[in-house]
Structures are given as structure tokens and as C-alpha cells.
């Protein structure tokens, strides 16, 4: 079994990669919104860029990682709870 430090380091690397990719998409969306002549498209692209920023916690690595960790912990807790009650349902 691997150590918790291994998983923490792996998660840190993965979250950094995710943020790098999403940040690149965000930059492309912002560039596209600036270059478009269509006002409706401009507004839609700006809204999409704002939503990306919100969903990924302003692209702050520590904040993003903390919140994703909380989400993962919640899901794992739900799995554990389901496994605990499963024998009573069968």
C-alpha cells in the first residue's frame, strides 16, 4: 500500500495540471471574446470566462486543492456510509 504522502503529492501534481489546462482554456476564451465582432458572442464568452474562474476558485492552486480535497472526502464518506448499511439492505 502506498503512503499518504504519495497520494498527497500525486494529487498536488494533478491539481496543478488541471489548473494549467483550465487556465489555458480561460486565456483562449478571453482572447476570443476580445477579438469577436459579435456582441452576443462577446457577452457569452465573457460569461463563460467568469464562470470558469468561479468554478476553479480563481485559479488559486491552494484554494482549488483544498476545496477539491473536501469534495473528495465527502464522496469517500458517502461510499463508506453506503458500504456500512449495505449488509442491512440485503
Amino acid at each position: 500500500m502506498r503512503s499518504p504522502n504519495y497520494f498527497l503529492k500525486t494529487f498536488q501534481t494533478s491539481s496543478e495540471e488541471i489548473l494549467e489546462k483550465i487556465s489555458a482554456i480561460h486565456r483562449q476564451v478571453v482572447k476570443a471574446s476580445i477579438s469577436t465582432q459579435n456582441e452576443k458572442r462577446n457577452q457569452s464568452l465573457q460569461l463563460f470566462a467568469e464562470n470558469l474562474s468561479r468554478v476553479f476558485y480563481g485559479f488559486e492552486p491552494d484554494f482549488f486543492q483544498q476545496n477539491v480535497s473536501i469534495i473528495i472526502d465527502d464522496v469517500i464518506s458517502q461510499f463508506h456510509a453506503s458500504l456500512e448499511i449495505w449488509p442491512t439492505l440485503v
Side-chain angles (χ1 to χ4, degrees):
M1 182 174 218
R2 297 188 176 167
S3 72
N5 289 338
Y6 169 81
F7 291 111
L8 180 61
K9 180 138 178 79
T10 302
F11 177 64
Q12 287 172 339
T13 302
S14 297
S15 63
E16 288 170 5
E17 290 173 2
I18 291 167
L19 283 179
E20 286 173 12
K21 290 177 182 179
I22 294 299
S23 293
I25 292 170
H26 181 264
R27 287 189 298 273
Q28 290 175 348
V29 171
V30 169
K31 282 181 185 177
S33 73
I34 292 169
S35 66
T36 188
Q37 299 298 318
N38 184 325
E39 185 59 33
K40 188 172 182 177
R41 180 171 168 76
N42 179 292
Q43 290 174 352
S44 295
L45 288 169
Q46 285 180 358
L47 181 61
F48 181 58
E50 289 173 24
N51 286 332
L52 278 176
S53 182
R54 284 188 196 131
V55 168
F56 289 93
Y57 307 100
F59 308 109
E60 291 290 328
D62 293 336
F63 198 55
F64 173 73
Q65 187 172 355
Q66 176 186 3
N67 284 292
V68 171
S69 293
I70 291 168
I71 293 168
I72 290 170
D73 287 343
D74 288 346
V75 170
I76 290 172
S77 294
Q78 290 174 359
F79 276 115
H80 283 275
S82 297
L83 290 173
E84 287 176 8
I85 65 167
W86 180 254
T88 64
L89 300 174
V90 180

